[in-house]
Amino acid sequence: MGGGGFQWALIKVVVITLRQLDKSFSVKKATVAALREVDLKIESGELFVLLGPSGSGKTTLLRCVAGLEKPDAGEIALGQRLVFSSKERLCVPPEEREIGMVFQSYAVWPHLSVFENVALPLTHGIRRWDPSMVKEKVRSALSLVQLEGLEERPAPLLSGGQQQRVALARALAVEPKALLMDEPLSNLDARLREEVRSQIRDVTKKVGVTVLYVTHDQVEAMALADRLGVMNGGRILDVGPPQALYEHPARPEVAEFFGMINWLDGRAVERGRIETKIGLIQASSSPPSGAVKVGIRPENLRLHSAPRGEANEFRGQVMGKVYLGDHQLWKVQIRSELLMVKVVGQPERGWLGGEVSLCVPRDAIFVFSIA
């Protein structure tokens, strides 16, 4: 790195490494395990998203990488440099870790202009830049986030989306080894979230910086991530590209993070054949025997007015629908089970309150063994 522009190596190397990371907090008289033996590797230029509910440990993990929290055990390395090791009793302070951070609250100084906000880590950070270089770096960073011409504008006169872009420009101006982002879009309205989300991905990919991004929003996670890790209970449950985790989740908890899903309790009677409360379901694969949990996403179910003679076809009663703009969610009762079905476009006549045939494609069924 160096000079006035932004240059990151294109060679794929591991930028963030976590090994057996543990962190607990004392709450009243109890101990809460926030991180449990977390292992993770993030490559250069990768946009890695941690997805999980509140209390899953994702923000604690991010703060440990930043140096804002000290883990109880394990190791953290940034590139080839070890920045935390419980074994070696090493903990490098945040300002020496060469990372950029974008917070949920923007952390934009209201008494400073846009230029002064972006320049602050360059003029008051651990490395003090020459004034001529500061000017060039700030202008390059503002150009990246499309805020050219607003250098002298007071921060309070910016919109929420513009303030978040100032925070992003400030984090990028120091050319960090890694960029950490903690729920940066949660304070924006729905339309702005989509706009800024797209800009974040475009800008970070253009620069080539490695990003560790935290969110509880599954749509945001899938739209941004090269890879994502699903967290719960202080553990990373699964890691992979968004499409792989959506279509082939490793466990029920992972499947549930990616939108609505219909669950049925069942018993595998032989490989690929499962007895459930709606009848016998044929799946592409299943355990040869034993108790299982069957998952089917609403968008993978099909409704017809009359039977089609297909496999996995069940007669049911339409109990209602919810209109959601580009699609509807139909509620279909089959025996004792109520299933949700996503329908795009115009439904067939006579569905509401009538009998329908529901078809379940074999290859769209998740089957998990119950221990």
Side-chain angles (χ1 to χ4, degrees):
M1 295 185 289
F6 296 85
Q7 298 176 4
W8 273 268
L10 297 179
I11 300 171
K12 291 293 182 183
V13 296
V14 177
V15 172
I16 300 174
T17 304
L18 311 181
R19 302 185 189 94
Q20 294 292 290
L21 211 63
D22 284 335
K23 175 65 180 176
S24 296
F25 294 100
S26 295
V27 181
K28 295 182 180 179
K29 294 183 179 180
T31 299
V32 177
L35 299 175
R36 308 181 188 203
E37 300 179 341
V38 174
D39 290 312
L40 182 63
K41 290 185 178 180
I42 302 174
E43 292 183 340
S44 64
E46 186 173 26
L47 205 164
F48 189 95
V49 177
L50 282 174
L51 173 66
S54 297
S56 62
K58 57 189 188 298
T59 294
T60 299
L61 188 153
L62 189 87
R63 289 174 63 83
C64 286
V65 174
L68 301 175
E69 294 284 356
K70 185 178 179 181
D72 300 326
E75 289 185 346
I76 302 172
L78 296 176
Q80 299 300 312
R81 185 188 183 193
L82 201 61
V83 295
F84 173 80
S85 172
S86 56
K87 185 178 179 180
E88 297 185 21
R89 297 184 179 180
L90 170 69
C91 188
V92 174
E95 64 272 16
E96 296 180 15
R97 295 195 180 193
E98 299 180 75
I99 53 98
M101 189 138 185
V102 179
F103 298 92
Q104 177 179 345
S105 60
Y106 316 146
V108 172
W109 294 98
H111 63 290
L112 300 179
S113 68
V114 168
F115 183 96
E116 290 166 335
N117 264 284
V118 178
L120 198 63
L122 300 171
T123 57
H124 291 76
I126 193 168
R127 178 184 177 186
R128 305 295 175 91
W129 293 82
D130 180 87
S132 62
M133 292 296 296
V134 169
K135 192 172 183 179
E136 186 178 348
K137 283 179 172 294
V138 171
R139 288 187 172 169
S140 293
L142 289 175
S143 176
L144 276 171
V145 299
Q146 299 176 7
L147 289 178
E148 317 96 302
L150 298 182
E151 290 88 349
E152 301 308 316
R153 181 167 296 185
L157 299 184
L158 299 174
S159 68
Q162 288 173 326
Q163 289 188 50
Q164 194 57 287
R165 282 187 279 157
V166 169
L168 177 59
R170 182 178 57 201
L172 290 173
V174 297
E175 298 183 9
K177 284 184 177 178
L179 178 61
L180 311 182
M181 308 188 78
D182 186 12
E183 303 268 12
L185 307 182
S186 59
N187 288 336
L188 303 179
D189 62 41
R191 183 188 63 80
L192 262 181
R193 276 201 302 273
E194 288 187 19
E195 180 183 321
V196 179
R197 180 177 73 204
S198 177
Q199 289 173 342
I200 285 172
R201 181 164 177 87
D202 290 347
V203 167
T204 55
K205 285 301 175 185
K206 182 177 181 179
V207 172
V209 66
T210 304
V211 180
L212 175 57
Y213 188 108
V214 161
T215 184
H216 65 275
D217 186 320
Q218 58 97 1
V219 173
E220 191 175 305
M222 295 183 74
L224 282 169
D226 296 319
R227 284 191 308 148
L228 61 86
V230 177
M231 283 197 77
N232 203 12
R235 300 183 187 276
I236 296 180
L237 305 180
D238 203 0
V239 172
Q243 186 174 352
L245 296 191
Y246 185 85
E247 295 179 355
H248 307 288
R251 57 180 78 188
E253 301 96 317
V254 174
E256 287 178 334
F257 276 110
F258 298 99
M260 186 180 293
I261 191 163
N262 296 295
W263 290 112
L264 297 169
D265 292 327
R267 178 163 292 277
V269 292
E270 58 183 78
R271 192 170 296 280
R273 293 168 63 84
I274 303 161
E275 290 180 346
T276 72
K277 290 183 179 179
I278 69 170
L280 185 68
I281 288 179
Q282 299 179 41
S284 294
S285 63
S286 77
S289 61
V292 296
K293 194 170 188 177
V294 177
I296 312 160
R297 298 200 183 279
E299 63 267 30
N300 291 330
L301 294 170
R302 300 196 306 271
L303 289 182
H304 303 289
S305 297
R308 298 288 186 95
E310 299 180 13
N312 292 340
E313 187 173 52
F314 307 94
R315 293 295 285 174
Q317 186 84 17
V318 173
M319 308 303 292
K321 70 170 182 175
V322 179
Y323 178 75
L324 294 171
D326 61 344
H327 70 277
Q328 306 110 42
L329 278 178
W330 289 73
K331 303 175 184 179
V332 180
Q333 186 84 35
I334 302 176
R335 299 183 183 177
S336 63
E337 300 296 306
L338 186 66
L339 303 183
M340 304 299 293
V341 183
K342 180 178 178 180
V343 176
V344 178
Q346 289 298 317
E348 295 182 25
R349 275 184 153 188
W351 278 6
L352 196 58
E355 272 203 349
V356 291
S357 285
L358 182 145
C359 296
V360 185
R362 293 186 189 191
D363 57 0
I365 299 170
F366 306 140
V367 183
F368 302 99
S369 294
I370 298 176

